Amino acid sequence: MALSAQQISKWFNSVKLRSFINAAQLTKQFPRPGRTLLNGFSAQPQLSSDNCFLQWGYKTYRSSSLRNSSQSTNSSRQESNSAQSTLLPVVNEQSEITQELPSFDSELSLEDLDDLPPLSPLQQVSEEEAIQIIADPLLPPASFTLRDYVDHSETLQKLVLLGVDLSKIEKHPDTANLLLRLDFEKDIKPILLFLKDLGLEDNQLGGFLTKNYAIFSEDLENLETRVAYLQSKNFSKADIAQMVRKAPFLLSFSVERLDNRLGFFQKELELSVKKTRDLVVRLPRLLTGSLEPVKENMKVYRLELGFKHNEIQHMITRIPKMLTANKRKLTKTFDYVHNVMNIPHHLIVKFPQVFNTRLFKVKDRHLFLAYLGRAQYDPAKPNYISLDKLVSIPDEVFCEEIAKASIQDFEKFLKTL
């Protein structure tokens, strides 16, 4: 927003006063006998070749001082000759000092023009020019987006360079306020080095921090303790790195909670220590997510779908996602495979990948095979087709090797459904 002429005038006056006092303070090293100003600070300048503004400021101040001195001399010409003689050394000393001063106007070469500082704030400007002055935007006292603070925060700037999505973090005001108060070198960098040492790559840090932004509020010692606990359970460094990448909130859980989760799966599923460890490495969100879907699905497999306990163990160790899959999807897939395709339990147990496949894909291929008269899923009969091949291979391979038809025939058939 442009400043008014009155605001510009007040600003110029304040700058004048500060420049005048600063110029006087810089001259303390060379006091002049008998002529002190501003409560003991003399008017001798402290010049520097790389500070043209200080030279200019001194010249302006010195001109003002000499005019005041001239007026004082005119009023005291009736004083005695002895009094005048005492002033002569001061004038000579002033002349010597003036000769030592570099000439700002004469010594400035064309090559130095580019090094000149901007125009002095004391320079007069017209009212038309004053109203065109645009003030730098101030840091907003409150905002709904972190975008307003990025230009003012080194921490936010570096997080953006790492690939952190601030638009997702700002949805959580407490975390957003925390980031604004953190110092990158002191608070952020140690966490980044810890994650790097853990095995996360540079291009993985942004995604990790976007999801687990709360890790900045964690004590580094607690994070190291949780890693040490996993290592004590014989999880390798590669296993831990993989688990942290797949489940970013893993390190935000206490050692007690991690231990309880591992104990739950080992006891509930009656798995060995090694199989329990392999299970959570492949699906680490089992340690961080809710246990309610797991408990519900275990009941579905046993009570509604009729699988035995050892069959459930075999399926979930092959396809861990079956523990967290949608209950409705599980029941619909089982109903179609078992009741429509007439595939018994023991064959489904051998190829549990069917529960991890979209149901429409299973339907489309089965109906095409049935149309061709090749829907034969009994391993004791010729032309047997396993569930594994039915759901895992691409359409081109399915048509060529299983259906013995072209992909064009399959596509034409799908249009009839």
Side-chain angles (χ1 to χ4, degrees):
M1 182 178 65
L3 299 177
S4 65
Q6 183 178 3
Q7 291 174 320
I8 293 292
S9 176
K10 291 181 179 181
W11 178 67
F12 279 172
N13 290 337
S14 65
V15 173
K16 285 181 181 181
L17 180 58
R18 290 196 299 271
S19 300
F20 183 82
I21 294 175
N22 291 337
Q25 293 176 341
L26 288 171
T27 63
K28 186 177 181 180
Q29 297 183 3
F30 299 92
R32 287 168 47 192
R35 298 295 299 273
T36 59
L37 302 173
L38 299 179
N39 296 328
F41 291 93
S42 68
Q44 178 65 28
Q46 179 75 9
L47 291 175
S48 171
S49 61
D50 60 350
N51 198 332
C52 297
F53 177 75
L54 291 181
Q55 294 176 353
W56 176 88
Y58 170 69
K59 289 175 66 178
T60 303
Y61 170 71
R62 178 173 169 270
S63 299
S64 175
S65 299
L66 291 178
R67 285 197 299 270
N68 294 338
S69 176
S70 175
Q71 294 174 1
S72 177
T73 302
N74 291 336
S75 64
S76 61
R77 286 183 175 177
Q78 296 180 357
E79 294 181 357
S80 62
N81 293 334
S82 60
Q84 293 177 357
S85 63
T86 59
L87 295 177
L88 290 177
V90 178
V91 175
N92 291 337
E93 181 183 358
Q94 178 66 31
S95 300
E96 293 174 1
I97 293 174
T98 303
Q99 292 175 0
E100 294 176 359
L101 297 178
S103 175
F104 177 79
D105 298 325
S106 62
E107 293 186 6
L108 184 63
S109 63
L110 292 177
E111 291 78 3
D112 295 331
L113 289 177
D114 291 337
D115 298 330
L116 283 175
L119 293 177
S120 167
L122 300 181
Q123 181 171 341
Q124 296 294 329
V125 295
S126 65
E127 183 174 351
E128 291 76 9
E129 294 173 331
I131 62 176
Q132 295 178 5
I133 297 177
I134 305 299
D136 291 333
L138 298 176
L139 187 65
S143 177
F144 292 102
T145 174
L146 287 174
R147 181 177 55 189
D148 295 337
Y149 300 93
V150 172
D151 291 339
H152 307 275
S153 172
E154 178 189 12
T155 296
L156 294 183
Q157 292 170 11
K158 292 187 175 181
L159 288 177
V160 170
L161 291 177
L162 286 172
V164 178
D165 189 348
L166 297 182
S167 65
K168 295 183 179 180
I169 296 179
E170 67 189 17
K171 297 177 182 178
H172 307 273
D174 292 340
T175 302
N177 289 329
L178 172 66
L179 289 183
L180 289 174
R181 295 192 299 268
L182 294 181
D183 178 80
F184 185 84
E185 292 294 326
K186 179 182 177 182
D187 303 314
I188 305 295
K189 190 174 181 179
I191 299 294
L192 296 178
L193 293 177
F194 166 77
L195 294 175
K196 288 274 291 178
D197 184 64
L198 202 59
L200 269 68
E201 301 295 335
D202 292 344
N203 59 356
Q204 297 170 337
L205 292 175
F208 176 89
L209 296 176
T210 299
K211 294 179 180 178
N212 188 10
Y213 42 81
I215 196 172
F216 294 125
S217 61
E218 295 282 353
D219 185 80
L220 185 58
E221 185 176 351
N222 290 337
L223 297 176
E224 293 172 344
T225 301
R226 292 160 194 170
V227 172
Y229 165 77
L230 294 175
Q231 291 174 338
S232 70
K233 296 299 181 180
N234 293 326
F235 288 94
S236 67
K237 185 175 181 180
D239 290 340
I240 297 174
Q242 178 178 330
M243 293 166 67
V244 170
R245 283 193 296 267
K246 291 184 176 180
F249 290 99
L250 178 66
L251 295 179
S252 296
F253 290 95
S254 65
V255 169
E256 292 77 13
R257 179 165 181 172
L258 293 176
D259 190 67
N260 289 337
R261 286 298 180 92
L262 289 173
F264 168 81
F265 289 108
Q266 184 176 359
K267 180 180 179 180
E268 183 74 14
L269 304 178
E270 298 182 5
L271 298 175
S272 65
V273 174
K274 183 180 183 305
K275 287 187 176 181
T276 302
R277 183 166 54 244
D278 293 341
L279 180 70
V280 297
V281 168
R282 295 179 61 189
L283 192 64
R285 69 169 181 262
L286 291 175
L287 298 178
T288 61
S290 173
L291 292 178
E292 292 306 316
V294 176
K295 295 177 181 179
E296 184 67 20
N297 284 349
M298 291 294 293
K299 293 180 181 178
V300 169
Y301 293 130
R302 185 172 60 253
L303 301 179
E304 295 185 27
L305 306 186
F307 288 101
K308 300 177 182 178
H309 185 73
N310 63 330
E311 292 176 333
I312 297 174
Q313 286 180 322
H314 177 80
M315 289 191 297
I316 63 174
T317 53
R318 292 280 301 277
I319 309 294
K321 287 184 179 179
M322 290 181 62
L323 286 172
T324 58
N326 180 270
K327 174 185 174 180
R328 184 168 177 267
K329 179 180 181 296
L330 289 175
T331 54
K332 290 183 66 175
T333 299
F334 176 82
D335 179 67
Y336 190 84
V337 172
H338 182 66
N339 298 321
V340 176
M341 298 173 63
N342 296 316
I343 299 179
H345 283 77
H346 70 276
L347 290 181
I348 297 176
V349 171
K350 286 185 177 181
F351 307 107
Q353 292 88 345
V354 69
F355 288 108
N356 202 29
T357 306
R358 293 180 182 273
L359 182 56
F360 75 85
K361 183 177 181 179
V362 177
K363 286 183 176 181
D364 290 346
R365 293 188 176 187
H366 167 69
L367 291 175
F368 186 57
L369 291 176
Y371 171 76
L372 297 174
R374 303 184 62 86
Q376 207 291 95
Y377 307 112
D378 187 351
K381 297 179 180 181
N383 301 320
Y384 164 69
I385 298 174
S386 68
L387 278 178
D388 183 29
K389 290 184 178 181
L390 181 69
V391 302
S392 63
I393 58 180
D395 285 344
E396 293 81 1
V397 179
F398 164 76
C399 292
E400 181 180 354
E401 297 184 1
I402 306 300
K404 306 298 181 181
S406 66
I407 185 67
Q408 291 78 13
D409 293 336
F410 183 49
E411 292 174 349
K412 288 180 182 179
F413 172 79
L414 294 179
K415 292 180 181 178
T416 65
L417 298 179

XYZ file of all heavy atoms in Angstrom, residues 6 41 43 57 64 66 107 115 162 198 225 227 240 269-270 306 314 331 345 407-408 414:
171
model
N 2.407 12.720 4.159
C 2.676 13.057 5.556
C 3.499 11.984 6.243
O 4.418 12.253 6.996
C 1.346 13.249 6.292
C 1.516 13.678 7.768
C 0.191 13.911 8.440
O -0.842 13.703 7.827
N 0.217 14.361 9.674
N 30.668 14.036 22.207
C 31.098 13.395 20.974
C 31.582 14.473 20.031
O 30.838 15.360 19.667
C 29.947 12.616 20.320
C 29.555 11.401 21.100
C 28.540 11.461 22.029
C 30.222 10.210 20.917
C 28.172 10.347 22.753
C 29.854 9.092 21.631
C 28.831 9.168 22.555
N 33.214 16.165 16.444
C 32.753 16.124 15.073
C 33.776 15.540 14.124
O 33.698 15.730 12.927
C 32.374 17.528 14.604
N 27.394 11.672 4.864
C 26.749 12.121 6.080
C 27.650 13.044 6.882
O 27.205 14.019 7.470
N 27.135 21.912 8.232
C 26.241 22.540 9.203
C 27.027 23.078 10.381
O 26.762 24.159 10.879
C 25.208 21.525 9.667
O 24.406 22.068 10.683
N 30.209 24.067 10.430
C 31.004 25.242 10.045
C 30.146 26.490 9.952
O 30.582 27.590 10.314
C 31.698 24.979 8.712
C 32.816 23.926 8.755
C 33.384 23.727 7.368
C 33.895 24.335 9.740
N 37.373 12.146 -6.243
C 37.981 10.835 -6.351
C 37.022 9.774 -6.887
O 37.417 8.654 -7.136
C 38.505 10.385 -4.984
C 39.665 11.244 -4.503
C 40.265 10.685 -3.221
O 39.825 9.600 -2.823
O 41.156 11.324 -2.663
N 28.927 1.084 -7.931
C 29.026 0.694 -6.523
C 28.368 1.694 -5.591
O 28.425 1.541 -4.386
C 30.501 0.535 -6.130
C 31.175 -0.558 -6.933
O 30.462 -1.507 -7.305
O 32.392 -0.466 -7.184
N 12.819 -29.586 0.135
C 12.891 -31.033 0.374
C 11.696 -31.768 -0.227
O 11.717 -33.000 -0.324
C 12.949 -31.315 1.875
C 14.281 -31.022 2.577
C 14.113 -31.155 4.089
C 15.367 -31.972 2.089
N 18.890 -43.666 9.007
C 17.979 -44.807 9.102
C 17.843 -45.532 7.762
O 17.511 -46.721 7.733
C 16.615 -44.318 9.585
C 15.686 -45.329 10.247
C 16.342 -45.943 11.485
C 14.380 -44.664 10.630
N 15.540 -44.612 20.650
C 15.164 -45.726 21.523
C 14.227 -46.696 20.810
O 14.348 -47.927 20.955
C 14.494 -45.192 22.802
O 15.404 -44.326 23.493
C 14.090 -46.328 23.725
N 14.006 -47.228 17.554
C 14.791 -47.965 16.558
C 15.594 -49.063 17.239
O 15.677 -50.193 16.739
C 15.703 -47.011 15.773
C 16.657 -47.788 14.868
C 14.880 -46.033 14.951
N 13.865 -52.118 8.919
C 13.369 -50.922 9.622
C 13.164 -49.783 8.644
O 12.153 -49.054 8.702
C 14.346 -50.526 10.744
C 14.417 -51.645 11.796
C 13.920 -49.216 11.389
C 15.469 -51.420 12.871
N -2.758 -64.693 15.962
C -2.635 -65.523 14.761
C -1.866 -66.810 15.009
O -1.770 -67.654 14.128
C -1.938 -64.718 13.653
C -2.592 -63.385 13.280
C -1.770 -62.673 12.215
C -4.015 -63.602 12.810
N -1.316 -66.902 16.228
C -0.524 -68.087 16.605
C 0.611 -68.328 15.599
O 0.818 -69.445 15.120
C -1.423 -69.316 16.722
C -2.496 -69.175 17.801
C -3.348 -70.440 17.920
O -3.021 -71.434 17.236
O -4.323 -70.435 18.694
N -15.986 -69.703 6.559
C -15.773 -71.112 6.870
C -14.356 -71.621 6.705
O -14.149 -72.833 6.554
N -2.201 -69.465 6.674
C -1.508 -69.574 5.390
C -1.848 -68.386 4.478
O -0.954 -67.809 3.832
C -1.897 -70.889 4.700
C -1.288 -71.048 3.345
N 0.009 -71.472 3.160
C -1.800 -70.838 2.088
C 0.278 -71.525 1.867
N -0.805 -71.147 1.193
N -16.314 -60.627 1.327
C -17.461 -61.538 1.248
C -17.997 -61.665 -0.175
O -18.402 -62.761 -0.602
C -18.579 -61.066 2.190
O -18.898 -59.684 1.894
C -18.141 -61.157 3.641
N -12.764 -74.503 -0.863
C -11.932 -73.754 0.076
C -10.448 -74.041 -0.101
O -9.621 -73.105 -0.087
C -12.361 -74.084 1.522
C -13.610 -73.391 1.958
N -14.865 -73.785 1.564
C -13.787 -72.320 2.783
C -15.784 -73.008 2.112
N -15.152 -72.098 2.872
N -6.873 -60.965 -28.303
C -7.277 -59.887 -27.397
C -8.476 -59.136 -27.972
O -9.324 -58.629 -27.231
C -6.090 -58.922 -27.143
C -6.468 -57.862 -26.109
C -5.624 -58.283 -28.435
C -6.690 -58.401 -24.739
N -8.570 -59.081 -29.342
C -9.705 -58.417 -29.978
C -11.003 -59.159 -29.677
O -12.055 -58.533 -29.445
C -9.497 -58.330 -31.493
C -8.381 -57.379 -31.928
C -7.000 -57.959 -31.752
O -6.866 -59.183 -31.530
N -5.970 -57.124 -31.852
N -16.419 -58.343 -24.094
C -16.685 -57.465 -22.945
C -17.725 -56.421 -23.293
O -18.490 -55.973 -22.408
C -15.386 -56.784 -22.486
C -14.307 -57.701 -21.898
C -13.087 -56.898 -21.505
C -14.852 -58.466 -20.691
